[in-house]
């Protein structure tokens, strides 16, 4: 059931952070037959990192949706530098890099935090950068019309 309060009426417990980090372990289902993380797995990892960054305010993405505010991916780019493998522990570093009254821009770094226990895959070291990425999310209402972000979620430079 939709929340009758608009998203602007939601009150964050803490200011929206500008950066954060989330650790994930690469699952078997996210890999190709050679144990390499499949490119399709990366977009959900970025989404998890973004939603965890939002959660730090005390407001979840589900709270935003109940209030009629949706953040849709308008642009997503990924630059693969090194492969990641099944059972690797990765760190997804997320940063709010810009935006406007209606959009939020993020940049990401995916780094190896700990090599998985399924055989040596060459010389890899913790902290090694595997992927960089960027996204633009646009704020829309239930009907898909562009609308302003809640003031507390608008990037600081706007």
């Amino acid at each position: 059931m939709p929340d009758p309060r608009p998203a602007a009426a939601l009150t964050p417990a803490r200011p929206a952070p500008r950066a954060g980090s989330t650790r994930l372990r690469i699952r078997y289902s996210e890999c190709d037959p050679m144990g390499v993380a499949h490119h399709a797995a990366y977009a959900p990892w970025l989404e998890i990192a973004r939603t965890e960054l939002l959660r730090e305010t005390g407001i979840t993405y589900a709270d935003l949706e109940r209030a009629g505010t949706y953040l849709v991916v308008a642009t997503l780019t990924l630059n693969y530098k090194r492969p990641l493998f099944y059972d690797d522990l990765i760190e997804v570093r997320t940063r709010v890099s810009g935006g406007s009254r209606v959009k939020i821009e993020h940049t990401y770094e995916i780094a190896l935090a700990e090599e998985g226990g399924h055989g040596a895959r060459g010389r890899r070291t913790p902290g090694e950068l595997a992927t960089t990425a960027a996204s633009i999310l646009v704020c829309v209402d239930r009907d898909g019309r562009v609308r302003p972000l809640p003031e507390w979620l608008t990037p600081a430079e706007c």
Side-chain angles (χ1 to χ4, degrees):
M1 168 171 241
D3 188 328
R5 299 174 300 160
L10 295 174
T11 305
R14 292 165 294 285
R18 302 277 303 156
S21 141
T22 301
R23 286 186 168 209
L24 304 164
R25 186 151 317 262
I26 299 174
R27 299 170 294 181
Y28 187 79
S29 64
E30 296 171 319
C31 297
D32 67 17
M34 296 183 299
V36 177
H38 191 273
H39 66 273
Y42 287 71
W45 299 341
L46 302 179
E47 180 181 355
I48 290 167
R50 282 192 310 272
T51 57
E52 291 305 312
L53 195 62
L54 176 63
R55 189 183 308 276
E56 290 184 33
T57 67
I59 295 174
T60 67
Y61 188 72
D63 294 333
L64 283 178
E65 285 187 338
R66 280 191 293 275
T69 296
Y70 300 83
L71 300 175
V72 298
V73 176
T75 303
L76 178 63
T77 59
L78 290 111
N79 297 299
Y80 303 97
K81 301 183 178 311
R82 291 193 144 343
L84 294 165
F85 298 91
Y86 168 61
D87 205 37
D88 282 349
L89 181 65
I90 60 171
E91 180 177 23
V92 183
R93 302 175 195 135
T94 308
R95 186 174 66 81
V96 175
S97 57
S100 70
R101 288 286 301 130
V102 298
K103 69 182 180 182
I104 302 173
E105 299 172 12
H106 293 91
T107 57
Y108 311 85
E109 293 179 337
I110 300 177
L112 177 67
E114 176 185 298
E115 194 169 37
H118 292 277
R121 299 287 188 166
R123 296 182 182 195
R124 301 187 305 147
T125 56
E128 185 176 13
L129 188 62
T131 307
T132 58
S135 66
I136 298 174
L137 278 66
V138 176
C139 186
V140 300
D141 63 16
R142 283 186 179 89
D143 296 321
R145 291 184 301 253
V146 175
R147 63 172 291 179
L149 287 160
E151 187 67 34
W152 58 268
L153 194 53
T154 302
E157 64 276 359
C158 298

